[in-house]
Every structure is written in structure tokens, then in C-alpha cells.
Amino acid sequence: MDWKEIYNSKLVSAEEAIKAIKDGDKVVTGFACGEPFGIERALVENYENYKDVQIVNMLTLGDSPWCEPRMKGHFTLNCLFASQSNRKAISTGACEFTTSHFYEIPDVIKNYICPRVSLVMVSPPDEHGYVSFGTTVDYTRGTTDYCEVVIAQVNKYMPRTFGNSIKHVRDFTYFVEIDEPLPEVKDVEISETEMKIGENCASLINDGDCLQLGIGGIPNAVCAQLWDKKDLGLHSELVGDGVVDLLEAGIINNKKKQTNNGRTVLGAAFGSEKLTKYINNNPSVEMHPIDYVNNPAEIAKNDNMVSINSCLQVDLLGQVVSDTVGLNQFSAVGGQVDFVRGATMSRGGRSIIAMPSTAKRGMISRIVPIITEGSAITTPRNDVNYVVTEYGIAQLKGRTLKERAKALILIAHPRFRPHLILEYKNRFNEDAFTKEELKEQIELIKVHISNSADELREKLHEDLKKLLKH
Ligand code: COA
């Protein structure tokens, strides 16, 4: 049969297509910019017709309607990356959460979660009958190989991408044509602190390095500092808009890559229309399944691989917490450990964990003596090498526990250093600094305490007093 006949025979309304979903089903859906909201809306509107259906999704940019009280007994959400709309529901138990390194997620979904149905979003078919998974190849494309029912939202806004991102119309059960702009991740303005962090990260990046950029405000700040570099490569699980100007200017040209030479490799595009337009029909960008992109052994095949990811907390041993705040799930490990390990294994590679030195509008230090009770370690201390804040760079590999702690104190916000210096003494039974070094530290600390918020100042003065007593 001609592909057009196949396509037309499978073309139905969303309401018709979702009749293939049965009570008790597990339904995996595309994520982020590739989430098929057109089909999901039909499910939400008809929720009372379903019993005990689990929606499995990596990370949604939508409202997570599955977590609303009215959905109880009808739908639950099982996500693999917490987002703004379901963080609270995870902490109250109204949303399920599954933890996994990103490179393993295709296997975890296929062989452990075992969904029967897959909902995806694709581009309209080309003249040969192939649709593209566009922004979102990761675990999504693979579901069409093993799910019994595959329903695709065909959306003209979904870009057509190269790499391993296509499937023939034969491989789907139903098509639902709904054109709607893709969900977007908009750039936020880069703060002064992030700019400084970007500068510090850029000082660790050399011409010819191959980069992975994580998520959050810092990757864009790093991109802003790369304009004097040349011949950079990009092999990243996902990227935002920040890389587009560098790619267009040829600063990132992928010339020095050992794998996929001359091409950017991504698992997902996580930006706005600017990024979507760039990857559309662009043969220099390859989208691949995440068990290839994030596989540490594949990452390591590129020399001088540099991974840059962010975190929420680091203790004085260099243990990194990136996805929980105490018992609350904030995000997920994503590809952080995949890339930290891949970069470490790469010849000449480096892993960077970059973060602002404080959180909560400067009220708390992200560098702490002991991780907050209940938090999970995302990246173990043995994997961590460079930790970067706006105050500098701590290099941890090959360092003793005392050297690590001292290096981390020196990149903590000065106003929180007295507490950390005292904790160092408690732990190691010796002073962190010589008298001269301490004198210099105290001058700096005093300036920063006087600039602190009123409600903090008293406590900070207490810590400083205790330190001066020693
Ligand atoms: N204690 C309590 N709250 C904290 C905190 C801490 N130690 N550190 C940060 N927070 C708060 C911040 O104040 C902020 O809250 P607010 O918006 O109310 O002020 C919130 O947590 C987010 O922090 P921020 O640093 O701004 O987040 P971000 O958007 O830059 O993202 C990570 C940073 C670490 C959450 C994000 O990079 C992540 O999820 N990483 C794990 C996955 C990963 O690295 N994947 C890599 C490949 S994509």
C-alpha cells in the first residue's frame, strides 16, 4: 500500500484514538517540547471513562492535570523528572516518581515499567512517508518498537530533524492531526552572579573541547562567555537556546569530534522557537535516542569532553545534591552522572559542577558542612572534579579530605565562611587556614557580613565572633 493510504487509514480524531487505551494501562508519553498535549487533552476531558491508568512521562512543561484530586482512581502520573507542576504532588504522594540515570531510562521504561501504549508527537510525514520525532527522540522514538498501541499527534510545528529520529507511518497505530505551537522553555535573564560563574567555567574550557551543557540558568551564562573560543564541539543530552548563536557563528563547529564529526549530537531540544527553527531540517544537528547520547562509554569516545551541570548543595567532602531538597524531590538526576562519568573517562576530559554559592536570595549557603537530612546524593564525591561558584573554582580529584574542604570553603560565599571554617576545625581537629590566611579571610568576611540582609546579620556576627575566639 502507498504510504499515503496507510496514513489516511490511521488518521482519526483524538477522541477516537484514545479509545484504544484500556483500564489499568500504562501509557508512556513524549516529554518537554515533544509532549503530545493535543491527545492528552482528550484524555483529561474524558477522564471519567478510565480507571487506574498510569501516565509515564520524563519531564512535563505542562500542568500535570493527572495529579488533580478529581483524577483519583482514574489517572496517576509517574514521572522521572519532577517539574514545577508536580513537585508538590510528589511530596504529598499524589504523584509517583521513578529515579534513574537518563541513559538507562529507555530500558527502565521498556523492561521495568512496561507500558502498553505510547503517545508521541511527530512532524507531518515527508514524501517518503517518514515522520520525525523532532525535538524529542530520547526514550520516545524507541517506544514505537515495543508498545502495542502507538498514537502520534502530527503537528506541523514539530521540526524535522536528522540523526536517528524518524519512523515510517507503518510503525504507528493512529495519527491525530493537531497543529499547535510546541511548549517552550524561555531564556531567563542572566544574573551578575551567573555571569561570573560562566566566566569561571569558561576559564576551564579550551579551544577544541567538546561540551555538554546541563539545565538551569548557568548553561546560558557559560555560552555567553565562549565567544573567544574556537572549534568547540557539542554532544549533550539536551540544550536550550543559548547554543544557537554560537553554532551559527561557527564557534561550535564540531570539527574536532571523534564521533559524529561535524555534527551536534542531542537527545532533546529544550528551548524556544529559536532553537526549534535552528534544528529544523538542519543536517548539522543529529538527534539520537538517549541510550546512545548519554551512554558514558559513547560520551567518552570524544576527546576533551567537558560536562557542565548544576546543583543545589555540596558538602565539604564534595558530595553533590542536585535533585532533592531534604525529603522533597526537586528535579531528578537526569544525565548529570552520565555526563560526569563520560567526561571523566574521555581523554583530556573534565567534569564541572557549577552553582551560585547561595540560594534563597542569598539567605543560605549551598556549600554546607553536612548535606540536609533526607536529601539524596546525586553525584558521589568520587565522581566530582571541578566545583565552580562565582567565587572561584575548587578542584577536588586527587585531593585529601582536608584539601577538598578547604578548597570548597574558598569558593563559598564569604558571609558563610566562618561557620564552615569552624566546622572544618570540628571535623579535622586542626585549623583550615594559617594565621595570615585567616586574617585575609576575616577582612573579606566582615565586608560581606555588613552587606547581608538584616535578618541574617546577627547570626553571621555570632559565627564570626566564635571564629575570632579560636
Ligand atoms: N536548599 C534549599 N533550596 C535551594 C537550595 C538549597 N541548597 N539550592 C537551591 N534552592 C532553591 C533555589 O533558591 C530556587 O528556589 P527559588 O526559585 O524559590 O529561589 C530553586 O531551589 C532552584 O534553584 P536554582 O539553582 O535556581 O535552579 P536551576 O533552575 O538553576 O536548576 C538544578 C539547578 C540543580 C535544580 C538543575 O540543574 C537540575 O535539576 N540538575 C539535575 C539534573 C541535571 O543536572 N541534568 C543534567 C543534564 S540536563
Side-chain angles (χ1 to χ4, degrees):
M1 225 196 305
D2 172 46
W3 74 259
K4 283 184 190 146
E5 283 177 56
I6 300 175
Y7 181 75
N8 286 329
S9 71
K10 295 178 176 187
L11 195 57
V12 294
S13 67
E15 287 69 25
E16 196 55 37
I18 60 169
K19 286 185 186 154
I21 298 172
K22 306 280 176 246
D23 292 348
D25 267 346
K26 288 186 178 171
V27 179
V28 59
T29 74
F31 88 106
C33 304
E35 188 166 354
F37 285 122
I39 308 171
E40 290 184 15
R41 273 196 304 277
L43 277 176
V44 172
E45 278 159 23
N46 293 285
Y47 75 96
E48 281 170 319
N49 298 341
Y50 295 90
K51 224 174 112 192
D52 296 331
V53 174
Q54 188 182 84
I55 302 291
V56 180
N57 183 285
M58 170 85 180
L59 163 65
T60 184
L61 299 173
D63 297 334
S64 300
W66 325 107
C67 305
E68 292 168 13
R70 67 182 168 132
M71 292 287 168
K72 205 169 166 82
H74 301 288
F75 285 98
T76 52
L77 175 64
N78 176 4
C79 62
L80 294 102
F81 203 109
S83 69
Q84 208 170 356
S85 63
N86 54 43
R87 227 166 254 150
K88 209 164 162 205
I90 295 170
S91 71
T92 62
C95 177
E96 300 291 341
F97 180 82
T98 302
T99 182
S100 170
H101 295 303
F102 203 0
Y103 93 94
E104 285 187 290
I105 282 181
D107 176 54
V108 164
I109 294 180
K110 179 180 175 190
N111 294 314
Y112 293 88
I113 299 179
C114 310
R116 194 183 70 87
V117 180
S118 170
L119 307 181
V120 298
M121 182 143 72
V122 296
S123 69
D126 63 16
E127 70 263 38
H128 306 290
Y130 286 94
V131 297
S132 169
F133 286 78
T135 56
T136 320
V137 171
D138 48 83
Y139 64 82
T140 314
R141 181 184 174 279
T143 62
T144 56
D145 292 330
Y146 61 85
C147 282
E148 208 175 300
V149 176
V150 183
I151 306 173
Q153 174 176 347
V154 181
N155 185 351
K156 71 172 185 192
Y157 291 92
M158 181 56 109
R160 188 181 148 67
T161 54
F162 287 76
N164 193 358
S165 71
I166 53 163
K167 275 275 173 176
H168 197 265
V169 294
R170 273 190 302 269
D171 299 319
F172 298 82
T173 316
Y174 292 118
F175 293 104
V176 175
E177 287 183 347
I178 303 173
D179 292 329
E180 55 191 353
L182 305 187
E184 290 188 306
V185 185
K186 295 264 188 216
D187 265 1
V188 284
E189 212 179 307
I190 303 172
S191 69
E192 228 174 89
T193 302
E194 286 168 340
M195 209 49 119
K196 191 78 200 101
I197 296 167
E199 266 174 45
N200 290 337
C201 289
S203 74
L204 293 169
I205 297 170
N206 304 318
D207 292 345
D209 284 348
C210 184
L211 307 182
Q212 174 259 335
L213 299 161
I215 50 172
I218 288 169
N220 280 355
V222 174
C223 288
Q225 302 295 331
L226 296 177
W227 286 91
D228 60 343
K229 311 281 179 199
K230 59 176 193 228
D231 295 338
L232 296 176
L234 192 56
H235 179 115
S236 199
E237 91 181 39
L238 44 80
V239 287
D241 288 358
V243 295
V244 175
D245 294 340
L246 291 166
L247 281 159
E248 282 178 342
I251 305 267
I252 302 176
N253 58 21
N254 297 302
K255 247 187 194 173
K256 305 269 176 177
K257 279 170 86 171
Q258 278 64 41
T259 61
N260 309 90
N261 184 273
R263 292 188 213 121
T264 291
V265 168
L266 304 174
F270 200 70
S272 73
E273 204 189 343
K274 177 175 177 176
L275 181 61
T276 313
K277 274 192 172 152
Y278 181 78
I279 63 175
N280 185 40
N281 268 324
N282 186 337
S284 76
V285 181
E286 288 189 7
M287 309 293 294
H288 286 276
I290 218 69
D291 44 3
Y292 169 72
V293 179
N294 278 33
N295 182 333
E298 292 297 333
I299 296 165
K301 286 182 185 167
N302 281 305
D303 292 346
N304 305 310
M305 187 73 212
V306 181
S307 68
I308 304 165
N309 292 292
S310 193
C311 75
L312 301 168
Q313 203 172 56
V314 179
D315 73 3
L316 287 182
L317 301 172
Q319 306 190 90
V320 167
V321 174
S322 312
D323 65 315
T324 51
V325 178
L327 286 171
N328 293 321
Q329 192 65 47
F330 185 82
S331 53
V333 56
Q336 183 163 123
V337 176
D338 303 343
F339 275 94
V340 165
R341 291 190 174 152
T344 305
M345 284 153 60
S346 137
R347 194 163 37 172
R350 279 137 282 152
S351 76
I352 301 172
I353 297 289
M355 59 169 183
S357 65
T358 63
K360 299 275 167 217
R361 292 166 293 104
M363 299 298 280
I364 59 171
S365 176
R366 295 201 197 215
I367 296 179
V368 289
I370 292 173
I371 295 299
T372 303
E373 194 179 350
S375 291
I377 301 296
T378 310
T379 303
R381 61 182 179 173
N382 302 320
D383 286 302
V384 178
N385 194 5
Y386 292 99
V387 180
V388 171
T389 71
E390 70 275 26
Y391 288 100
I393 300 167
Q395 189 275 312
L396 303 188
K397 262 191 200 292
R399 303 281 167 237
T400 66
L401 295 185
K402 290 176 201 165
E403 287 168 341
R404 281 170 172 249
K406 187 171 169 183
L408 286 163
I409 292 170
L410 285 171
I411 62 163
H413 195 292
R415 77 166 75 105
F416 295 113
R417 288 185 199 175
H419 179 60
L420 295 169
I421 296 170
L422 287 164
E423 287 297 320
Y424 179 104
K425 171 107 190 194
N426 278 343
R427 180 174 296 187
F428 298 116
N429 225 6
E430 67 179 47
D431 290 322
F433 297 106
T434 63
K435 270 201 177 117
E436 284 67 41
E437 283 172 337
L438 190 61
K439 219 168 132 198
E440 207 179 295
Q441 284 295 314
I442 286 168
E443 288 316 306
L444 184 69
I445 290 164
K446 278 182 179 162
V447 174
H448 283 273
I449 291 183
S450 62
N451 291 337
S452 299
D454 295 347
E455 58 267 49
L456 257 188
R457 219 172 296 134
E458 200 179 323
K459 160 88 178 73
L460 297 175
H461 273 304
E462 279 294 303
D463 288 341
L464 181 58
K465 261 196 229 156
K466 278 190 214 155
L467 179 62
L468 291 171
K469 255 196 201 162
H470 263 70

